[in-house]
Amino acid sequence: MFYFLIDILGTIAFAISGVLVAMDKKLDLFGIFIISFVTAVGGGTLRDMLIGNTSVLWMREPIYITVIAGAVIFSVIFVKQLKYLRRTLFLFDTIGIGLFTMLGIEKGLAADLLPVMCIALGTITACFGGVIRDMLCNEIPVIFRRKEIYATACIMGGISYFVLVLLPFDAAYAYVGAIMIIIITRLLAVKFGIALPNVYRKIER
Amino acid sequence: MFYFLIDILGTIAFAISGVLVAMDKKLDLFGIFIISFVTAVGGGTLRDMLIGNTSVLWMREPIYITVIAGAVIFSVIFVKQLKYLRRTLFLFDTIGIGLFTMLGIEKGLAADLLPVMCIALGTITACFGGVIRDMLCNEIPVIFRRKEIYATACIMGGISYFVLVLLPFDAAYAYVGAIMIIIITRLLAVKFGIALPNVYRKIER
Amino acid sequence: MFYFLIDILGTIAFAISGVLVAMDKKLDLFGIFIISFVTAVGGGTLRDMLIGNTSVLWMREPIYITVIAGAVIFSVIFVKQLKYLRRTLFLFDTIGIGLFTMLGIEKGLAADLLPVMCIALGTITACFGGVIRDMLCNEIPVIFRRKEIYATACIMGGISYFVLVLLPFDAAYAYVGAIMIIIITRLLAVKFGIALPNVYRKIER
């Protein structure tokens, strides 16, 4: 129940971020809805297609399309007020990528994949909705050129999960621990401007 | 047999529209063929991948690749004359999205999906070949910023189908009725310039 | 064993080409890795998704992610020196598309598809990693506007395979023969600047 609530909050945060990008591009209502939808469920959809877990999740669970439709209507009406929600949305997004990473890892485990592939699936679940959103909006995906780490936080959380399980922690504790590590890593990265090492400095000199 | 003919006419219209976009971008013959192919079968391919209906349709039915190859050769040779076919192609395209929407809905029903998901699949079948075409051509998809409604006509047709079946009409009548509604909606939209409500007016003021 | 070595060399060549494109776009380390990964395994991934051969190959065979990670680290460190490897990389790439085409054709045969569909799958395996790379980097795919033929070499090799098997050659000989034809066609195309017929000349006059 608690996880379900986080799932919905994360979905809402992703959907609203999609609306903002789509409106920035002056898309029409249909375009706004599709971009919002893809941002929210695109990562999980790609994950399900890669492991053959079809029909993909959002087709079997009408809660997602309902929540996203609500988020789109809300955002379009209150778009001017959304800027006051910036901090809340950032928090939902951060909690969302934590949970989505673990949801992806669970699916990987259920498909008998190696830990490294589970971590890849977790990162895809959390981050690739935004990648597809940016492809549709004709931009190079923002997580490929982000100043503060984002996908790397998911990868670190995924690694932590498998380390914690090996230590050995109970899987449920490792699950929560990994989510916390993702959230804290991302929060610290934004607060202190932590980025991946710059590979271009050496060349530029 | 009659539906089969419409399917082929729609495929041809989509394939030719792909050729025109590709030639506008000055792609080579291979690029023109791929863009044309993707425009014609991309929506159905995405649908089949989402519901796990693989190998995807065009791989099992060689008629599509044959018809598209023919359409590409014809269009490249008679590209200057295509402008005289503009009205015919528009009509084929419109009839095509009507049928393709219902083909997608049928697949959704066969996969035991909810009506809302069937309508989504129908709209994806009819409209997302063009979306993938535009992504490949480095443009924001035209149906996300179209003046006259297009995907919305498919959604309305899909809703009509389920309403007609509930009323209760015979499924075969509802099928034809929904296609007619899509075609008429799209024709009226183009004739009278009917668009989705503009969500930006409020902000601009 | 021999084919395995070619597979790895091709993967390395593709991965390095991805790094170069990503660094050209000034992506961060995560972006460089993803682009490199997609370039190397994207074609096979799309193939596996189209025929429902899931989980897709790279998820079941950790050798690919390992080799690609190594190639990314190597390329980022020695990026200045890579220009001295240009000829070697071109050769690996050419041998790679030869083998990848045949790997795709084998999967198509295993899925009971028609020869024309097998050839399509082979071409997708060899060429569409680069297509997805270019989509992510916000460019029109280079193989759609290439001066010298590339995908066409794969198609010709694929056709040759089925002709050789019909003649009738032993499948193993036809396999090697088709790979040789792809490699030779591509090498000759680059040496003599052989391109597809220009469809625009007629219009421009």
Side-chain angles (χ1 to χ4, degrees), chain A residues 46-115:
Chain A
L46 180 56
R47 174 201 64 211
D48 287 343
M49 285 163 64
L50 288 170
I51 59 175
N53 188 16
T54 50
S55 304
V56 299
L57 186 61
W58 64 264
M59 291 209 160
R60 285 173 281 132
E61 302 282 357
I63 181 74
Y64 294 106
I65 202 166
T66 313
V67 163
I68 295 167
V72 169
I73 294 168
F74 173 85
S75 315
V76 167
I77 295 175
F78 296 108
V79 64
K80 280 185 181 170
Q81 285 73 37
L82 278 180
K83 59 172 175 282
Y84 303 114
L85 288 175
R86 233 166 34 109
R87 268 162 181 278
T88 312
L89 287 173
F90 168 70
L91 211 67
F92 285 3
D93 181 280
T94 303
I95 300 170
I97 60 168
L99 182 69
F100 293 164
T101 302
M102 283 313 303
L103 290 177
I105 287 175
E106 278 187 310
K107 301 269 182 187
L109 290 169
D112 265 331
L113 296 175
L114 288 174

